Amino acid sequence: MIIIWVLCIFTTNLFAQDDEPWRNNGHFEIGFSDDSWNLELGYARMFTRWLGIGASLQVDNDYSGKSLLDYMLESSDSYDYDDDDISRVSLIPSLVFRTPALRLSKKTEYGDGLLLQVEPGMMLSLPVNESEDIPDPDYISQIHVEPGSGIQTFRVPTIRVKNTDGRWCYWRCKTSLGYKIGQGFLYIAYNISNYSIYDSHRNIKVGGKPIHDFPNRRFTHTISLGASISF
């Protein structure tokens, strides 16, 4: 993939001219995947009207976190605890392929209409191995609660545990369908990847047992809405 990017830069940049506004493109989008929501801000440089390279920055956050109160109300045999929502930041370099705009009527301005854009690329994500403060399981196992005594509050000491063997490099392919008006482009996008927001926490263990039971998906699917402008 890197070799392809380099070849595209050196072979097509010879023909690039800065007086054509379609060459520089910025975009912003919000998306929702199987496990998280995300915001993406990016830039693409088009060497021809149909081919370019781009890079974007994505910030995503999982849909829910677990509080200490939630943990205390569960069985002390379960160590599934998370004091914060999980979030990651990803740098996404990609190739950009774009079709000519399909005019929907004769009244549509030339160059406007429906178009399709495909962006195969990589996701380089941080953090890789996160740490969590969890209630000390040895202390909790010593707490004795009488049946029918109701909810009681305990000041539980915590221990810090760290993830191991976290993943940071993934592949992603995004397909966008939208409508171009002048220098603007409104679109809906679908992307598929092998990315997981949980990989920075997935292998946190206590006593050899994972403290989380995150979904282990083969693919992550994301639907997003966005806007792009050429300048």
Side-chain angles (χ1 to χ4, degrees):
M1 182 67 74
I2 294 175
I3 293 174
I4 293 175
W5 292 335
V6 172
L7 290 176
C8 288
I9 292 172
F10 284 99
T11 59
T12 61
N13 196 42
L14 297 174
F15 304 98
Q17 298 178 6
D18 290 327
D19 58 350
E20 297 171 301
W22 48 264
R23 292 196 180 276
N24 298 293
N25 298 263
H27 75 267
F28 174 82
E29 66 183 67
I30 179 170
F32 302 90
S33 73
D34 302 290
D35 302 311
S36 63
W37 63 273
N38 62 74
L39 297 175
E40 182 176 321
L41 181 67
Y43 167 80
R45 171 70 176 183
M46 304 300 292
F47 300 115
T48 73
R49 289 186 180 272
W50 329 124
L51 173 65
I53 60 172
S56 59
L57 192 67
Q58 175 182 291
V59 180
D60 61 325
N61 197 93
D62 73 326
Y63 290 126
S64 64
K66 183 167 291 187
S67 68
L68 181 58
L69 179 60
D70 293 331
Y71 177 84
M72 292 300 298
L73 294 176
E74 293 180 352
S75 167
S76 61
D77 294 332
S78 172
Y79 302 133
D80 190 5
Y81 170 74
D82 181 15
D83 58 352
D84 290 305
D85 290 343
I86 298 174
S87 60
R88 300 184 83 183
V89 178
S90 301
L91 176 65
I92 309 173
S94 62
L95 290 171
V96 180
F97 300 98
R98 182 179 295 173
T99 66
L102 176 64
R103 299 174 65 185
L104 299 183
S105 72
K106 294 182 179 180
K107 295 181 180 180
T108 303
E109 293 291 333
Y110 179 77
D112 292 351
L114 288 175
L115 63 83
L116 185 69
Q117 184 166 296
V118 179
E119 301 170 58
M122 301 171 62
M123 296 182 68
L124 310 176
S125 301
L126 293 173
V128 180
N129 291 309
E130 283 274 68
S131 296
E132 290 186 24
D133 291 322
I134 69 167
D136 187 343
D138 293 332
Y139 180 90
I140 291 175
S141 64
Q142 299 173 17
I143 297 175
H144 178 70
V145 179
E146 293 292 339
S149 61
I151 298 176
Q152 299 188 25
T153 301
F154 300 93
R155 187 177 296 276
V156 181
T158 61
I159 60 173
R160 176 158 287 242
V161 288
K162 187 175 183 179
N163 190 65
T164 58
D165 299 323
R167 295 187 61 183
W168 62 274
C169 185
Y170 308 86
W171 58 263
R172 186 186 85 158
C173 185
K174 181 169 74 172
T175 302
S176 306
L177 177 65
Y179 192 82
K180 181 178 178 298
I181 305 176
Q183 301 305 112
F185 174 37
L186 300 176
Y187 62 88
I188 182 171
Y190 163 77
N191 74 62
I192 183 172
S193 71
N194 63 340
Y195 168 78
S196 175
I197 189 174
Y198 298 125
D199 282 346
S200 60
H201 289 252
R202 189 180 302 280
N203 298 324
I204 296 178
K205 299 180 179 180
V206 172
K209 294 174 54 180
I211 68 172
H212 297 295
D213 185 22
F214 294 131
N216 191 12
R217 307 182 192 280
R218 184 178 181 184
F219 302 115
T220 293
H221 308 272
T222 303
I223 298 294
S224 56
L225 298 173
S228 175
I229 187 169
S230 301
F231 55 93

